[in-house]
Amino acid sequence: MAIDLSGGLEALAEGQRLRRLTHLTAACHALRRPPYAFADPLLEVPMYRIGGSILALVDGTLFNPLTGQQALQVAPDRAGGLVALVANLAPGVLKY
């Protein structure tokens, strides 16, 4: 999950680097603190990168864990398709 959120396998190729690893680290720290208190957010929380933002899906709410800004309330089983929809409809909501 960390590699996917930081640029994917192509970011590990020679001459490339992982992107925005600090955003992922900060998002995980935020998800470890109350009110969420996840022991290991990378394993417990579905996360998505949209532009420069990392969004987390917790209890049907898609939000930016760094700012707490809610992007969308969704049914958890439909999150993947709705994340793509939100990225196309409301890019301003998802900026870091």
Side-chain angles (χ1 to χ4, degrees), residues 33-80:
R33 293 190 303 263
Y36 311 110
F38 289 101
D40 192 346
L42 283 175
L43 297 177
E44 298 176 63
V45 179
M47 288 189 263
Y48 308 90
R49 175 175 291 287
I50 299 179
S53 297
I54 301 271
L55 300 182
L57 180 63
V58 176
D59 294 332
T61 301
L62 188 65
F63 69 100
N64 184 327
L66 299 180
T67 64
Q69 183 177 16
Q70 181 177 330
L72 187 66
Q73 284 200 307
V74 298
D77 61 333
R78 297 193 55 209

